[in-house]
Amino acid sequence: MGIIKIGSSKNRKGVTVSPSTVLFNGNDVKSIKSGSTTIWGKSKPLVPTLTSNNGSDGGVASSSGIHTHPSPYYEFYAFDNNDSTCWVSGGYELNPWLQYSFAEPMVVNCISYRQTESYRINSAKIQGSNNGEQWDDLSDVFNVEKDNEVHKKHIDNTKSYIHYRFSVTSASDYTMSLYHLQFYGYQP
């Protein structure tokens, strides 16, 4: 285990970079701390495996709507770690979204997602809110991978929110679906 301390400096573009501490083990970076903020190293999956829309952590999965034919495609299906179930949005929604509301504020700095082979998502936004009405855009997800694999997207975020959502901004069909969605981060 080793530690490298880097003082304030200017990067290649001439922007002053805050003092940083890098903790490493061999060639693997374990954490990066900039000032008093740890930017990497605290992340862990935040949403428990769900068997209903109500999480064991007191959180709740919700969405703009669900497809109900031939049977309901509930929100929690995207969080149940089951490859044979998925959330499907209600039909003909302009900007469908899937969210998880935590019982306590969390800092999310990464998501993982896997979409289904049908009902394709082209792009989305990751958003955070503390009141469920006013949303901050945290990151864009462009060219959403269409290869039926789980993909991770890192988010430059250090602010805590109660509500996080995956909000679709462009799709190739009248409804959208996800096999898997997970928010990674830490409780401040």
Side-chain angles (χ1 to χ4, degrees), residues 84-117:
S84 66
T85 62
C86 64
W87 164 73
V88 180
S89 69
Y92 302 103
E93 293 179 69
L94 183 57
N95 293 105
W97 49 264
L98 177 62
Q99 81 179 35
Y100 194 78
S101 299
F102 295 96
E104 300 289 331
M106 298 287 180
V107 174
V108 168
N109 53 19
C110 183
I111 66 157
S112 63
Y113 64 89
R114 178 176 157 234
Q115 66 173 316
T116 63
E117 294 181 18

Side-chain angles (χ1 to χ4, degrees), residues 50 52-54 60-67 72-80 85-90 97-100 178-181:
L50 299 183
S52 75
N53 282 342
N54 298 312
V60 177
S62 61
S63 71
S64 55
I66 62 169
H67 192 68
Y73 293 89
Y74 296 112
E75 294 88 349
F76 77 90
Y77 288 164
F79 301 103
D80 68 357
T85 62
C86 64
W87 164 73
V88 180
S89 69
W97 49 264
L98 177 62
Q99 81 179 35
Y100 194 78
L178 288 170
Y179 277 124
H180 165 85
L181 181 62

Side-chain angles (χ1 to χ4, degrees), residues 39-60:
I39 3 184
W40 182 262
K42 286 186 178 181
S43 287
K44 63 179 185 176
L46 296 175
V47 181
T49 299
L50 299 183
T51 57
S52 75
N53 282 342
N54 298 312
S56 60
D57 63 344
V60 177

Side-chain angles (χ1 to χ4, degrees), residues 156-177:
D156 185 20
N157 177 47
T158 56
K159 185 176 177 183
S160 59
Y161 295 96
I162 292 176
H163 313 281
Y164 286 90
R165 73 180 178 187
F166 185 96
S167 181
V168 177
T169 55
S170 173
S172 62
D173 212 330
Y174 68 95
T175 191
M176 278 48 74
S177 57

Side-chain angles (χ1 to χ4, degrees), residues 79-154:
F79 301 103
D80 68 357
N81 291 325
N82 182 341
D83 288 342
S84 66
T85 62
C86 64
W87 164 73
V88 180
S89 69
Y92 302 103
E93 293 179 69
L94 183 57
N95 293 105
W97 49 264
L98 177 62
Q99 81 179 35
Y100 194 78
S101 299
F102 295 96
E104 300 289 331
M106 298 287 180
V107 174
V108 168
N109 53 19
C110 183
I111 66 157
S112 63
Y113 64 89
R114 178 176 157 234
Q115 66 173 316
T116 63
E117 294 181 18
S118 55
Y119 308 125
R120 292 291 184 194
I121 299 165
N122 297 325
S123 63
K125 287 184 180 291
I126 308 306
Q127 298 177 307
S129 174
N130 281 315
N131 62 15
E133 294 178 18
Q134 297 169 324
W135 293 88
D136 294 335
D137 292 341
L138 305 179
S139 182
D140 290 313
V141 183
F142 293 110
N143 301 320
V144 174
E145 301 293 340
K146 298 170 175 62
D147 59 7
N148 205 27
E149 299 291 326
V150 174
H151 294 275
K152 282 193 173 181
K153 166 75 173 162
H154 293 279

